[in-house]
Amino acid sequence: MTTRRSFIKSTTAATAAVGLAASMPAAMTACAPKIVRCGLIGAKGMGFADLKAFLGQPDTECVAICDVDQRVLDARISDTEKLQGKKPKGYEDYRQLIADPEVDAVIIGTPDHWHCLPFVEACKAGKAIYCEKPLGNTIEEINIMEAAANKYNTVVQIGQWQRSDPHWRDAVDFVRSGKLGKIRTVRTWSYQGWMGSIPVKPDREAPEGVDYDFWLGPAKERPFNPNRFHFDFRWFWDYAGGLMTDWGVHIIDYGLFGMQVKAPKSVMAMGGKFAYPEDAAETPDTLQAIYEFEDFTMLWDHGIGIDGGYYGRTHGVGFVGNNGTLVVDRSGWEVIPERKKDQDLMERVELQKGTGKGLEYHMENFLDGVRDNRRDLNCSIDIAANTARVAHLGNIALKTGRRLYWDSEKSQFLNDDEANQHLVPSYRSPWELPTV
């Protein structure tokens, strides 16, 4: 993994090389760093955060932005011009951006239900892809996206940026050292007090400048409602999977990574709209999902509107071993020893602080992959696809209300036709689920 020290060293060397190259013949400057030009699809929230991280790396440029909200598009074009001193082109249709020959890499920052179509299109067009998490909004979409990336040898990085954050990886190294003893369970959780109730609002006309039909895309046709638009789309099943797939793919991912496992044998879940039963959201504000693996269990637990997470942390992963528990979140990691007869069974590890630079490291890793045509990135397509599937399994278990047994080889539930109905989306005409 690239470290901040190696990054500074490489960029310092690159800066010095620029001055030297000015006095060299053209043949001697053929190895100058390639400028990677990107196009951004979906520019409102994390999409623009991703773009800023992209432009924060050397030898990068944004040549195009696409959004179905004209106000957002105009604002982001202006914002980007200020960042790089050059105005990108604006598109209203993602297919035009993908077809643009100036675009080397596509950043997909759309709502979840709009990941699959542009992703597959970009694979076919030979573009590198940085896509926001979760990979897809259904398991079949995830399977198709993974197949497309592998068929076209696409360089892909998915926005689970904790995969590039050094302290998270250091925590995993400790977990795998064996010092915790036998790990019997893994706790993963997200309690988000700043996220509150979604008050009921009436349907109305879409704002001027919004191509709402295009925003809906393959999702079910519905009247415009401000609760379903921009940030709050994630609380409606048509477009996303609630906190499970919003924060869950970050946190569950490290539970899987630390334990070096992929698919669970079974899953069950309980929860609902217990805190805000009358508000507008569809996805649960309270949820616990239990995943069964060969010799341990993994718990996902989330709560919206409160901060009462485990170990005094609003989010994190707890690897519970016989000798002690390692707890890691975005601030750092520590080890809490088990005590028997007033003695610690292992040495306590005080908080090892994080850098707060995970997204920057993640984008650096992506650009290294683009320049070297290397696919083994920190959150490659196979990593992201597996984690997203596991998160969706928890949501499907909640919807069916029973324990489900998963066949990872066939990508379906065992002897459960009802549960399998949740695997494949129904796309609204004229949009069609892509084929590979």
Side-chain angles (χ1 to χ4, degrees):
M1 184 189 70
T2 305
T3 64
R4 174 54 71 186
R5 180 175 296 176
S6 65
F7 170 60
I8 292 172
K9 182 178 178 182
S10 65
T11 52
T12 301
T15 302
V18 170
L20 182 62
S23 61
M24 290 182 175
M28 296 181 67
T29 62
C31 294
K34 172 181 171 4
I35 294 178
V36 180
R37 297 178 173 87
C38 81
L40 170 63
I41 303 172
K44 174 65 175 176
M46 274 306 300
F48 191 63
D50 294 334
L51 177 59
K52 288 191 289 185
F54 180 91
L55 294 176
Q57 301 297 323
D59 302 305
T60 55
E61 181 185 336
C62 176
V63 296
I65 299 177
C66 175
D67 203 284
V68 297
D69 187 332
Q70 189 65 48
R71 296 169 302 171
V72 171
L73 181 59
D74 291 343
R76 293 315 190 202
I77 288 173
S78 176
D79 292 339
T80 303
E81 184 177 14
K82 292 174 184 175
L83 285 172
Q84 66 180 13
K86 185 176 180 180
K87 185 177 182 178
K89 289 169 280 189
Y91 291 112
E92 296 177 4
D93 190 321
Y94 72 91
R95 291 166 292 195
Q96 295 173 320
L97 182 146
I98 291 172
D100 189 327
E102 287 194 289
V103 173
D104 303 311
V106 174
I107 299 174
I108 300 174
T110 59
D112 306 359
H113 75 293
W114 257 120
H115 285 182
C116 185
L117 284 165
F119 185 99
V120 173
E121 189 83 11
C123 288
K124 293 178 178 179
K127 313 292 186 180
I129 302 172
Y130 186 101
C131 182
E132 259 309 313
K133 52 77 193 169
L135 183 60
N137 197 35
T138 62
I139 287 179
E140 183 61 16
E141 286 178 321
I142 292 164
N143 294 343
I144 290 169
M145 296 164 80
E146 185 177 25
N150 290 331
K151 177 178 179 178
Y152 296 101
N153 293 313
T154 308
V155 175
V156 173
Q157 181 90 295
I158 305 304
Q160 291 158 224
W161 50 260
Q162 288 168 179
R163 281 278 181 158
S164 295
D165 208 338
H167 81 274
W168 286 88
R169 288 182 167 253
D170 292 343
V172 164
D173 289 343
F174 193 98
V175 168
R176 295 179 182 177
S177 72
K179 295 178 181 179
L180 296 173
K182 174 69 177 71
I183 296 174
R184 59 178 70 185
T185 193
V186 178
R187 298 180 181 127
T188 63
W189 72 95
S190 179
Y191 276 57
Q192 297 300 317
W194 68 275
M195 295 178 177
S197 176
I198 307 299
V200 174
K201 296 179 181 178
D203 296 336
R204 60 178 176 84
E205 292 295 319
E208 185 178 354
V210 173
D211 188 340
Y212 177 59
D213 186 69
F214 209 153
W215 187 91
L216 284 174
K220 183 178 179 179
E221 184 174 3
R222 296 183 186 275
F224 178 84
N225 190 286
N227 281 329
R228 291 173 169 265
F229 197 50
H230 288 325
F231 180 86
D232 288 330
F233 73 84
R234 66 199 69 227
W235 313 130
F236 297 90
W237 295 118
D238 286 352
Y239 324 118
L243 206 59
M244 167 66 91
T245 56
D246 183 33
W247 271 78
V249 290
H250 280 304
I251 309 301
I252 287 172
D253 183 47
Y254 258 86
L256 301 173
F257 185 33
M259 298 301 291
Q260 304 181 77
V261 294
K262 290 188 175 181
K265 296 165 58 178
S266 71
V267 58
M268 62 177 70
M270 289 175 284
K273 294 182 58 178
F274 299 156
Y276 311 113
E278 305 301 327
D279 81 353
E282 294 176 350
T283 59
D285 53 49
T286 306
L287 175 66
Q288 292 81 42
I290 301 176
Y291 298 89
E292 177 197 17
F293 292 89
E294 193 62 41
D295 60 352
F296 73 96
T297 59
M298 182 173 73
L299 168 71
W300 166 256
D301 184 359
H302 83 230
I304 292 175
I306 54 175
D307 287 327
Y310 298 91
Y311 314 103
R313 298 166 182 246
T314 62
H315 68 280
V317 185
F319 295 93
V320 183
N322 286 340
N323 298 335
T325 297
L326 184 146
V327 185
V328 57
D329 68 4
R330 290 180 175 178
S331 68
W333 65 277
E334 64 180 318
V335 175
I336 305 168
E338 283 291 319
R339 291 183 63 83
K340 286 190 177 179
K341 297 181 179 179
D342 296 326
Q343 289 187 340
D344 290 346
L345 296 187
M346 63 180 297
E347 183 179 351
R348 183 178 183 91
V349 178
E350 300 295 336
L351 182 67
Q352 306 296 299
K353 292 184 178 180
T355 65
K357 299 290 184 181
L359 180 54
E360 289 88 339
Y361 290 138
H362 207 48
M363 196 61 72
E364 177 187 355
N365 181 247
F366 172 58
L367 283 159
D368 286 346
V370 174
R371 292 193 170 97
D372 297 339
N373 194 30
R374 183 168 54 84
R375 301 186 67 218
D376 59 335
L377 302 186
N378 290 343
C379 193
S380 59
I381 186 65
D382 56 323
I383 292 170
N386 183 75
T387 302
R389 278 191 286 263
V390 172
H392 282 293
L393 291 180
N395 274 341
I396 295 171
L398 175 71
K399 291 176 180 179
T400 59
R402 57 181 173 272
R403 187 174 184 177
L404 303 176
Y405 294 85
W406 180 244
D407 185 333
S408 60
E409 294 298 320
K410 295 182 179 179
S411 193
Q412 64 182 29
F413 295 103
L414 296 173
N415 305 314
D416 199 322
D417 292 339
E418 180 191 350
N420 285 327
Q421 293 297 314
H422 292 282
L423 299 176
V424 182
S426 178
Y427 272 27
R428 181 175 67 106
S429 179
W431 305 102
E432 295 180 353
L433 192 65
T435 57
V436 177

